[in-house]
Amino acid sequence: MRQSWWKILGLVMVAASIVVGFLGPVPALFLLHETIRNVYFHVPMWFAMFALYLISVIYSIRYLNSGRMNDDLIAVEAVNTGIVFCIIGLLTGMQWANITWGMAWPNDAKTNGSAIATLMYLAYLVLRNALEEEQKRGKISAIYNIFAFPIMIVLMYIMPKMTDSLHPGSGGNGTFGDLDMDNQMRPVFYMAIIGWILIGVWICTLRYRVRLLENKRNFID
């Protein structure tokens, strides 16, 4: 139980944010109206994705220093889990954009940057599957991963701030925290972010343990 407290905390935080996200009060806002509730679901997906990709980079660096295959396995499973959150983030964002902006995929710097970053990490997984020798695969994919992370930050965070963008906090637009969130929404929003990050890390550890069991079974066979 002592080792599982953070998993229970993550479940409780996510469950509470979902309930409040659907049923809790939200401010009456022009254009957004009830769609502001999506901030509890769409934005935390990106935070969880960023956290998992950061974990992956850390373990890629550790792998290059240590050569331990377990570090490489954690790195790839963090990306595998992060991709899931990325896809959910894209789908919830498309739904939100379709309602508020009139199209699911507007020609926007942040949406286009998100698409490129997603393809970049999918290419990372394809690269790994294309290499058979373990050490070669681990080293090449680790180097790719280390460079992919800062490029993703540029595509999804820095470039949208330097040009026109429909997204809050980009292109001179105010952030949700400045304009749209009230004091009732902020605690739930932060709770959702922390909860989904914890759930993402939990899923990553489960995938890692399954990969270890598969490797052990293959070694025995």
Side-chain angles (χ1 to χ4, degrees):
M1 180 63 71
R2 291 181 179 179
Q3 296 180 349
S4 301
W5 66 268
W6 60 274
K7 302 172 186 177
I8 297 172
L9 177 64
L11 286 173
V12 171
M13 296 178 93
V14 166
S17 67
I18 291 174
V19 172
V20 178
F22 281 113
L23 303 177
V26 293
L29 301 169
F30 172 74
L31 185 63
L32 291 175
H33 304 293
E34 291 290 318
T35 67
I36 187 63
R37 296 180 186 277
N38 202 11
V39 76
Y40 297 137
F41 306 100
H42 171 61
V43 181
M45 295 299 109
W46 294 121
F47 275 92
M49 181 198 73
F50 277 115
L52 288 161
Y53 287 170
L54 178 59
I55 291 171
S56 179
V57 169
I58 292 171
Y59 277 90
S60 289
I61 295 172
R62 288 185 58 174
Y63 172 75
L64 291 177
N65 290 329
S66 67
R68 294 177 65 249
M69 293 307 301
N70 286 357
D71 291 333
D72 181 53
L73 291 180
I74 295 175
V76 67
E77 292 306 336
V79 171
N80 280 328
T81 310
I83 284 289
V84 174
F85 284 92
C86 174
I87 293 173
I88 298 173
L90 288 174
L91 292 176
T92 53
M94 289 170 64
Q95 178 66 21
W96 202 356
N98 192 46
I99 296 173
T100 57
W101 299 331
M103 60 182 69
W105 197 277
N107 186 20
D108 181 78
K110 202 157 195 171
T111 54
N112 294 336
S114 300
I116 296 172
T118 302
L119 293 174
M120 190 167 56
Y121 274 93
L122 290 173
Y124 163 82
L125 298 177
V126 172
L127 174 65
R128 288 190 62 89
N129 292 328
L131 301 172
E132 295 183 359
E133 202 277 314
E134 286 188 357
Q135 290 186 346
K136 181 179 180 181
R137 177 178 61 206
K139 289 180 180 179
I140 293 177
S141 59
I143 294 170
Y144 181 102
N145 194 21
I146 292 169
F147 281 98
F149 187 78
I151 294 174
M152 178 192 65
I153 298 295
V154 171
L155 288 171
M156 296 184 63
Y157 185 75
I158 297 177
M159 286 187 62
K161 289 185 175 296
M162 299 173 63
T163 185
D164 292 334
S165 176
L166 296 170
H167 281 79
S170 302
N173 296 329
T175 64
F176 274 120
D178 294 334
L179 300 176
D180 302 323
M181 279 201 220
D182 58 14
N183 291 330
Q184 290 180 315
M185 291 191 67
R186 287 191 183 91
V188 182
F189 174 65
Y190 299 141
M191 180 172 60
I193 290 174
I194 297 171
W196 282 112
I197 289 175
L198 293 176
I199 293 298
V201 173
W202 187 8
I203 295 173
C204 178
T205 59
L206 291 175
R207 292 185 60 94
Y208 168 66
R209 290 164 63 184
V210 170
R211 183 67 72 93
L212 287 179
L213 292 174
E214 290 177 349
N215 288 352
K216 185 177 180 180
R217 183 185 62 187
N218 293 335
F219 179 77
I220 293 175
D221 295 341

